[in-house]
Amino acid sequence: MDLHFGDSKPTDEERAAIDALLGPPESSWEGADRSDADLRWARGGREARERRDLLLPGLHAVNDRIGWISEGALDYLCRRLTVPPAEAYGVATFYAMFSMKPRPATVLHVCTDLACAAAGASELCAGVEARLGLGSGVAVERSPCLGLCERAPAALAIKAGDPVRTAVSAPATVERAVLAASSPDSAPEEPSAALAVPQAAEAGREELVLLSRVGVVDPASLDDYRAHGGYTALRQAFAIGPAGVIREVTDAGLVGRGGAAFPTGRKWQATASQPDHPHYLVCNADESEPGTFKDRVVMEGDPYSLVEAMTIAGYAVGAHKGYLYLRGEYPRALERMEHAIGQARARGLLGDDVLGQGYAFDIEIRRGAGAYICGEETALFNSIEGYRGEPRSKPPFPVEKGLFGKPTAENNVETLVNVLPILTMGAQAYAAIGTGKSTGPKLFCVSGSVDRPGIYELPFGATLGELLDLAGVRKRLRAVLLGGAAGGFVRPDELDIPLTFEGTREAGTTLGSGVVLAFDDTVPLPRLLLRIAEFFRDESCGQCVPCRVGTVRQEEALHRIVGRTGADAAPDIALLREVGRAMKDASICGLGQTAWNAVESAIDRLGAYE
Amino acid sequence: MTLIPLGIPRRLLEFTIDGEPVRAPEGSTILDACRSVGKDVPTLCQGDTLTPKNACRVCVVEVEGARTLVPACSRKAEAGMQVQTDTERARHSRKIVLELLASSVDLSTTPEVAGWLKEYEAKPDRFGPDAARLNEEPKIDNDLYVRDYDKCILCYKCVDACGDQWQNTFAISVVGRGFDARIAVEHDAPLTDSACVYCGNCIEVCPTGALSFKSEFDMRAAGTWDEPAQTETTTVCAYCGVGCNLTLHVQDNEIVKVTSPHDNPVTHGNLCIKGRFGYQHVQNRD
Ligand SMILES: Cc1cc2nc3c(=O)[nH]c(=O)nc-3n(C[C@H](O)[C@H](O)[C@H](O)COP(=O)(O)O)c2cc1C
Ligand code: SF4
Ligand code: SF4
Ligand code: SF4
Ligand code: FES
Ligand code: FES
């Protein structure tokens, strides 16, 4: 490979940002000034190629410090990592948070997604844009769901510099959002994660299993975590050995909480038994599904639980390295997880010899950069490896060929955190919670037209109506979106649907990742559907035709019928159905396969255009 | 693609295609098996010299027990598999894929598409006159070849041929995402400022004519491109000792483009800049 680099040079600041991540370059081959030694020595070959996975962190480093990525900076990064510039350009342009053109140092992301739209995002946007016009030094960008739906409408300010500064404003007013953007350092601190857990304030909190520590422990204190039962599950894991852990998880009937509902024990067993090594553990904390914010609350409120759970999962599947792929728009979760991992490492709970048991395990955080598709498990591997976040075709499955082509178990944050009670209370006691086929507790992200939006923990089997009662559903409920943008709508007369995998399936809908978005009749349904279509069109990776073009054609059809009903809408609805069917059947990955579900259910179950 | 099979013979898998029992060597794709029994499945992004990216989805077939349709070009055949190549379900997806493509890009130089549009009764116009299209202008920035991405179906073949599958130059990649995804060089620069070494291997694999010789592009624009009138002669490149095979496409006694046989065990259709583009000296007569 004979790489060609242009003659654009990085600025000193760009160079410093990259060198801060990678260390100074060792020779002129990777961008240093030429020295005599360079005439006789070249860094290259295997050693250099292995650093490709630092591409995404490198792009972040530049974007964080400068606010955008220039030709010179990209070329220098490529030289350092021996990555062809065309490929790096393809990667950088894939992510929404990176800009390849100069822009103001501060970007204010204003959420215009479902819950925020219902809470007045368009007025917020208009107000913010009026105040932060040209010359204000702030770029205002409309953003998909920021994962702050319980405090909608939401805005996130990111100010490039060293260090980068962020401020969240939610619920946002024009004044507060403008303040966050203009001086992120003096913006008021975000409310505690416990506020996203309405049950925490109530009497029934002893019943909480997964959320029992949120709002109780100090998320920064490892000692506090231990004082509240932390690390007993890991001790138990060491006591029963990897096979014992997998047996417990299997007997407990744990099923993945990331949306696809795959049995966790089976995934772990399949990974653990692969002859190829090393094995990897990946925690999927990408959480970009509109309406989902449970993983954020767990990471912000009880970060050590995830560190402990990842350690157990890694031990079970025979991995010595775990990656936490964390959504790029979650600054506080990032900070808390970084801190927790650092503390755990300092105290021998991560590292070469975890708890003195001779087991080596460490966790590396990788930040996403604004791409919902990177939550798809194989796209996530590509993203970590420094490639475009495009899903791979399956088979082969991740348990066989996953991250870096090695056997990999990938799990959602909530799935992993469930392993702690399984080990502390035992598989049987755990399986007694919920129903026979959907065992254990489940987190639901409730937002929209309810009085107490937030994360609710209920045993599987509670009905939709019970959940909405807890959250204080408002009068004149028009529709509930179950399972997020990739899920489906149900009617207000269907609230007796049991919240289990089998119950929702029987009712012809899905639990997805546990999103429950309530809409009263003030929300214009056709607009909402248009927003969902727009989301999928924006987030399609573009790899396969049914999804790349199909999402565009569907959005166009929905535009045409926004104000229409009956016979006026019929031809376009027929077209939507035909395209939707092919997308479901022929797309490569779950994004294209589910992109049409919500709209289809609105037409069929809600009679959206009748 | 070795000509002499080495090692132990591969195990034969038995399965069915459209109800007929077939046997195929382990490792074959469903498409290989279909073709070996004379069944036609349409393909666009599949190429005989590359690992398919299975991105176009026009080759989808139904496999018993699979939740979704399956791309025949890349799914490996398995013993006991029951494959249906021509069901209503598969035909529906193919038809929609053809409509989606034909309504967004210019398929006028994609061989076989016109026939498939007819066969599947595809009506690309039904998305209306305002349906989004690529609307790209041809990029003419060098004398050797033209990039007309208005014709690009994003099959990834050129990226793979330029990258780790053959050329290892990595001059082009997919940039952007979704409907805005395009093939481009670094920083969207002109080709002349890129890492391109003008081997033309990307042109060799491009299924749509989005990448073409400047000579062909100009003749098409002038209305003088006449494929039936062309003769093809395969010869040996005289530049260096590698001895690649060249196929000269000649119209009116002029070489109009150069391709290379894909079944050549050494080159698999790949050439270097001299073999691909250095033919002018042959026809300088004065
Ligand atoms: C487009 C798309 C986005 C996804 N996003 C997420 C996500 O943000 N978090 C997540 O845990 N799973 C997500 N998934 C599901 C993952 O692919 C995978 O099934 C899951 O992480 C497996 O973990 P589990 O078995 O613990 O559920 C997504 C899937 C698709 C198709
Ligand atoms: S379905 Fe959509 S997101 Fe998934 S691979 Fe295809 S284009 Fe990409
Ligand atoms: S230019 Fe040609 S080979 Fe490259 S992706 Fe487009 S259609 Fe495929
Ligand atoms: S095409 Fe290039 S490599 Fe092949 S024989 Fe000709 S000059 Fe040599
Ligand atoms: S934060 Fe706006 S919809 Fe989720
Ligand atoms: S030919 Fe199989 S997906 Fe394109």
Side-chain angles (χ1 to χ4, degrees):
Chain A
M1 181 159 62
D2 176 24
L3 293 187
H4 168 275
F5 300 99
D7 44 18
S8 43
K9 293 272 177 294
T11 64
D12 289 345
E13 213 183 350
E14 290 165 344
R15 185 187 290 270
I18 293 168
D19 290 351
L21 175 78
L22 303 175
E26 285 177 18
S27 74
S28 70
W29 296 99
E30 47 166 320
D33 290 334
R34 186 178 291 277
S35 71
D36 283 352
D38 289 329
L39 299 174
R40 292 180 297 279
W41 182 85
R43 181 194 171 88
R46 179 175 294 277
E47 185 192 5
R49 268 199 298 280
E50 272 168 5
R51 313 201 305 162
R52 168 103 191 207
D53 73 304
L54 291 173
L55 183 56
L56 185 55
L59 294 171
H60 266 305
V62 176
N63 201 70
D64 276 354
R65 171 94 68 120
I66 318 293
W68 68 287
I69 300 165
S70 72
E71 282 187 32
L74 189 71
D75 281 354
Y76 179 64
L77 181 60
C78 287
R79 222 182 254 280
R80 296 296 319 272
L81 298 175
T82 326
V83 170
E87 288 200 351
Y89 184 70
V91 171
T93 53
F94 188 84
Y95 296 100
M97 292 178 82
F98 298 146
S99 173
M100 307 309 286
K101 295 199 185 82
R103 66 174 172 188
T106 306
V107 180
L108 182 69
H109 301 265
V110 183
C111 176
T112 54
D113 224 318
L114 306 174
C116 291
S122 39
E123 295 80 56
L124 176 66
C125 258
V128 165
E129 270 164 353
R131 289 274 299 275
L132 295 170
L134 284 179
S136 68
V138 177
V140 179
E141 284 187 9
R142 279 150 211 268
S143 162
C145 177
L146 289 167
L148 297 159
C149 323
E150 88 279 14
R151 288 184 270 145
L156 164 69
I158 303 179
K159 183 178 183 185
D162 181 24
V164 62
R165 290 173 176 82
T166 58
V168 158
S169 172
T173 58
V174 173
E175 280 68 40
R176 276 187 292 205
V178 167
L179 176 70
S182 44
S183 56
D185 287 333
S186 51
E189 223 203 302
E190 274 190 79
S192 140
L195 278 186
V197 182
Q199 285 164 309
E202 288 162 25
R205 99 158 281 146
E206 315 72 73
E207 320 228 312
L208 299 184
V209 178
L210 302 174
L211 299 175
S212 63
R213 277 182 294 254
V214 175
V216 173
V217 293
D218 172 1
S221 166
L222 178 53
D223 290 326
D224 207 19
Y225 176 69
R226 293 184 103 153
H228 286 86
Y231 280 102
T232 45
L234 181 62
R235 282 181 202 285
Q236 175 64 9
F238 283 132
I240 61 179
V245 175
I246 293 177
R247 196 177 53 240
E248 288 289 296
V249 168
T250 308
D251 291 350
L254 179 63
V255 160
R257 309 290 202 239
F262 192 83
T264 306
R266 243 168 66 203
K267 186 184 285 184
W268 288 13
Q269 178 59 46
T271 311
S273 61
Q274 293 294 324
D276 195 11
H277 281 276
H279 295 183
Y280 289 106
L281 173 79
V282 173
C283 174
N284 190 341
D286 194 47
E287 191 162 71
S288 310
E289 172 93 39
T292 322
F293 46 98
K294 62 191 174 75
D295 298 341
R296 172 181 60 81
V297 171
V298 170
M299 291 186 288
E300 289 181 350
D302 193 12
Y304 289 100
S305 68
L306 184 57
V307 176
E308 183 183 358
M310 283 183 72
T311 311
I312 295 170
Y315 177 65
V317 303
H320 296 291
K321 176 125 193 205
Y323 284 88
L324 176 63
Y325 190 85
L326 185 67
R327 172 161 204 213
E329 293 91 335
Y330 279 178
R332 186 160 71 172
L334 174 68
E335 177 210 317
R336 299 248 160 110
M337 289 309 304
E338 270 176 346
H339 182 261
I341 289 168
Q343 290 295 303
R345 199 178 286 138
R347 303 270 290 270
L349 293 162
L350 287 174
D352 291 341
D353 186 12
V354 175
L355 268 178
Q357 298 283 326
Y359 167 62
F361 185 74
D362 214 330
I363 298 174
E364 190 173 325
I365 298 182
R366 285 307 171 94
R367 268 160 82 197
Y372 164 63
I373 187 59
C374 289
E376 198 280 340
E377 49 186 355
T378 57
L380 192 157
F381 301 148
N382 277 333
S383 180
I384 292 181
E385 290 177 25
Y387 293 91
R388 292 165 55 81
E390 293 170 350
R392 303 174 183 168
S393 7
K394 296 185 274 190
F397 291 94
V399 295
E400 200 186 322
K401 282 193 187 338
L403 186 62
F404 301 113
K406 298 295 175 183
T408 303
E410 174 174 329
N411 282 110
N412 173 256
V413 173
E414 183 190 344
T415 312
L416 289 172
V417 169
N418 267 280
V419 172
L420 306 177
I422 289 176
L423 290 182
T424 49
M425 65 171 77
Q428 274 195 333
Y430 178 92
I433 308 174
T435 66
K437 285 197 181 123
S438 302
T439 58
K442 173 78 191 101
L443 300 183
F444 295 97
C445 316
V446 188
S447 59
S449 313
V450 294
D451 291 332
R452 292 176 296 279
I455 308 288
Y456 287 83
E457 178 185 322
L458 288 175
F460 271 114
T463 67
L464 180 55
E466 286 164 0
L467 174 62
L468 285 173
D469 279 345
L470 271 181
V473 66
R474 299 204 189 120
K475 297 240 156 19
R476 301 178 30 199
L477 182 69
R478 166 83 164 92
V480 180
L481 181 58
L482 255 189
F489 284 97
V490 298
R491 290 187 306 272
D493 62 355
E494 296 180 295
L495 298 188
D496 54 353
I497 293 180
L499 297 172
T500 56
F501 294 117
E502 65 279 11
T504 46
R505 200 177 307 127
E506 235 163 72
T509 180
T510 174
L511 213 52
S513 53
V515 172
V516 175
L517 255 164
F519 297 101
D520 62 22
D521 60 6
T522 61
V523 179
L525 199 51
R527 285 264 144 223
L528 197 68
L529 301 184
L530 200 51
R531 171 61 217 162
I532 294 176
E534 205 180 272
F535 172 79
F536 284 107
R537 183 257 288 146
D538 275 351
E539 299 297 331
S540 165
C541 82
Q543 194 179 198
C544 64
V545 177
C547 174
R548 177 177 76 235
V549 191
T551 51
V552 173
R553 294 289 175 259
Q554 288 207 316
E555 192 198 347
E556 290 166 352
L558 287 168
H559 261 294
R560 283 195 292 269
I561 58 173
V562 140
R564 298 194 197 169
T565 53
D568 281 350
D572 277 313
I573 290 183
L575 189 130
L576 281 165
R577 284 192 199 279
E578 283 196 41
V579 173
R581 182 176 170 217
M583 286 165 63
K584 234 181 235 192
D585 257 354
S587 296
I588 294 182
C589 84
L591 188 145
Q593 289 160 9
T594 60
W596 145 249
N597 286 2
V599 179
E600 183 182 33
S601 69
I603 293 171
D604 290 343
R605 288 177 103 111
L606 305 179
Y609 297 98
E610 277 166 15
Chain B
M1 231 188 268
T2 9
L3 283 190
I4 310 145
L6 300 169
I8 46 166
R10 288 183 295 169
R11 201 160 63 95
L12 284 182
L13 305 169
E14 294 186 22
F15 57 102
T16 68
I17 297 179
D18 297 334
E20 306 282 327
V22 292
R23 287 148 68 95
E26 198 168 21
S28 322
T29 62
I30 293 175
L31 183 69
D32 295 334
C34 285
R35 289 187 171 160
S36 74
V37 296
K39 289 238 181 244
D40 190 33
V41 175
T43 57
L44 278 171
C45 71
Q46 184 264 350
D48 54 354
T49 62
L50 296 157
T51 307
K53 192 78 178 168
N54 55 234
C56 78
R57 318 303 277 184
V58 80
C59 70
V60 286
V61 296
E62 224 173 311
V63 170
E64 179 82 17
R67 187 173 45 88
T68 57
L69 297 172
V70 155
C73 66
S74 57
R75 179 61 61 85
K76 298 267 189 292
E78 290 163 33
M81 218 177 213
Q82 287 168 273
V83 180
Q84 299 286 339
T85 63
D86 210 32
T87 58
E88 189 275 332
R89 197 173 155 208
R91 290 184 69 91
H92 173 81
S93 277
R94 283 181 208 154
K95 169 184 145 180
I96 296 288
V97 162
L98 289 166
E99 288 179 339
L100 293 174
L101 275 179
S103 61
S104 52
V105 301
D106 170 9
L107 295 178
S108 61
T109 49
T110 309
E112 298 181 282
V113 148
W116 292 331
L117 288 171
K118 212 174 271 155
E119 184 191 338
Y120 290 94
E121 292 170 22
K123 298 190 187 62
D125 294 341
R126 69 187 174 121
F127 301 115
D130 298 331
R133 287 186 49 89
L134 258 53
N135 284 335
E136 293 283 314
E137 287 299 314
K139 289 184 175 2
I140 310 172
D141 51 19
N142 67 88
D143 289 335
L144 301 183
Y145 75 98
V146 176
R147 300 176 291 155
D148 185 1
Y149 291 131
D150 201 44
K151 299 189 171 116
C152 174
I153 61 167
L154 276 189
C155 71
Y156 288 67
K157 276 188 193 169
C158 56
V159 177
D160 289 343
C162 184
D164 60 356
Q165 291 195 25
W166 293 119
Q167 182 61 27
N168 278 295
T169 292
F170 302 93
I172 43 181
S173 68
V174 180
V175 309
R177 75 175 181 217
F179 197 74
D180 297 330
R182 295 286 186 277
I183 303 291
V185 302
E186 63 266 35
H187 318 302
D188 259 336
L191 204 61
T192 43
D193 291 348
S194 77
C196 175
V197 297
Y198 303 95
C199 65
N201 293 335
C202 55
I203 311 171
E204 181 77 45
V205 297
C206 181
T208 63
L211 306 175
S212 68
F213 277 67
K214 178 95 174 11
S215 49
E216 174 174 347
F217 184 84
D218 290 344
M219 287 172 77
R220 280 186 191 276
T224 56
W225 182 257
D226 185 4
E227 215 152 300
Q230 293 169 8
T231 57
E232 294 177 18
T233 311
T234 298
T235 177
V236 176
C237 176
Y239 275 111
C240 84
V242 172
C244 305
N245 280 186
L246 309 180
T247 301
L248 309 177
H249 298 243
V250 178
Q251 180 180 331
D252 294 333
N253 235 2
E254 292 273 337
I255 300 172
V256 291
K257 71 171 174 184
V258 176
T259 58
S260 177
H262 289 197
D263 58 2
N264 183 295
V266 179
T267 59
H268 303 289
N270 299 301
L271 296 172
C272 79
I273 179 173
K274 289 182 284 184
R276 180 84 64 191
F277 293 109
Y279 52 77
Q280 200 53 44
H281 71 288
V282 181
Q283 39 204 30
N284 281 349
R285 294 193 179 79
D286 39 337

